[in-house]
Amino acid sequence: SPAGDSWGIFTFLCAALCNLPALPALNCSEELGAGQSIQQTYDLTRYLEHQLRTLAGTYLNYLGPPFNEPDFNPPRLARAERVPSATVDLDLWRGLTDNARLAANYRAYSRLLCYLRVLDGQVGTAELRHRLAHFCASLQGLVLSIGGVMSSLGYPLPAGPAGPPAGPPEAPPAPNDFLKKMDDFWLLKELQTWLWRSAKDFNRLKKKVPPAVVTLRLEARGF
């Protein structure tokens, strides 16, 4: 009868669904790990942006005028060129591969972290040292998180030590106090630009990597 045929087809489909091979668990976990890693790195980047706004204001007040004046916009000196620059044409930056952008972020934050650790040992107030130390810890977490994203996507880490370098970059000391303050000013300015651009990078990247999908698995019990 038609009713019997319909029931038979339904039973056949249920049996077929129950016996479908399971999806490879490794692939599922890799996609889930990449998506989670990218989201966490994006969130950390935004947190650091917020944290740096407060830290930069406090540090520039510590440096005093003209560095803490809102309209202070000095030309970039040759000394500041050793700080990784984020002032790359946006179209050229977006034209890079995901791997190249991630590697550039990893290298830049590793080096910026070294400069910040130098600042941490030079400031004269305990409160500012505490804030710098907290920010350095967060930035080191970002470096490691970027490395985790690269690994989850199958990209090799940039050549060099496995972690961020511990020692300060080789650079001659500033010849006077004003140029030393200028170095600090450009360090904070470049760091702000890097974090702003990185947030955009990871926001685009998380849209390219599909989110984790919850899979409903039917199990045959007693049929």
Side-chain angles (χ1 to χ4, degrees):
S1 64
D5 291 341
S6 298
W7 178 253
I9 293 172
F10 175 77
T11 304
F12 173 80
L13 289 175
C14 286
L17 285 172
C18 290
N19 288 284
L20 280 176
L23 293 175
L26 180 60
N27 292 339
C28 291
S29 62
E30 285 177 352
E31 292 177 3
L32 178 64
Q36 283 183 334
S37 185
I38 293 167
Q39 180 65 54
Q40 289 173 359
T41 307
Y42 169 76
D43 292 340
L44 181 55
T45 305
R46 296 305 306 269
Y47 170 71
L48 280 162
E49 274 192 294
H50 172 75
Q51 196 177 353
L52 182 61
R53 280 194 290 269
T54 302
L55 175 62
T58 304
Y59 196 86
L60 292 178
N61 285 332
Y62 168 76
L63 295 180
F67 300 97
N68 59 347
E69 296 173 359
D71 57 347
F72 182 62
N73 187 27
R76 188 181 177 98
L77 302 177
R79 285 184 51 82
E81 290 178 358
R82 67 181 187 274
V83 176
S85 176
T87 55
V88 179
D89 181 80
L90 283 178
D91 290 333
L92 292 176
W93 180 258
R94 291 172 183 170
L96 298 176
T97 64
D98 292 333
N99 187 8
R101 281 194 300 272
L102 286 167
N105 275 281
Y106 183 89
R107 285 191 297 265
Y109 288 122
S110 297
R111 191 162 177 82
L112 289 165
L113 179 59
C114 291
Y115 283 107
L116 283 170
R117 283 173 172 160
V118 173
L119 290 191
D120 188 20
Q122 293 176 347
V123 294
T125 68
E127 179 186 358
L128 191 50
R129 284 198 303 271
H130 175 74
R131 290 191 178 190
L132 277 167
H134 180 67
F135 187 84
C136 284
S138 299
L139 190 62
Q140 182 172 4
L142 179 61
V143 174
L144 296 175
S145 188
I146 293 172
V149 170
M150 296 184 72
S151 297
S152 68
L153 293 175
Y155 300 144
L157 292 180
E170 293 294 331
N176 58 58
D177 186 59
F178 181 82
L179 290 180
K180 168 65 177 65
K181 291 181 178 181
M182 187 71 80
D183 289 346
D184 298 350
F185 174 86
W186 273 105
L187 172 61
L188 295 173
K189 190 177 182 68
E190 287 294 349
L191 187 53
Q192 286 177 322
T193 307
W194 272 104
L195 288 170
W196 171 81
R197 191 172 64 188
S198 295
K200 293 185 176 296
D201 288 345
F202 287 107
N203 189 44
R204 284 192 296 269
L205 189 58
K206 71 178 184 176
K207 293 176 181 178
K208 293 174 66 174
V209 177
V213 178
V214 178
T215 304
L216 177 62
R217 296 192 178 183
L218 301 175
E219 295 183 3
R221 297 185 182 275
F223 291 96

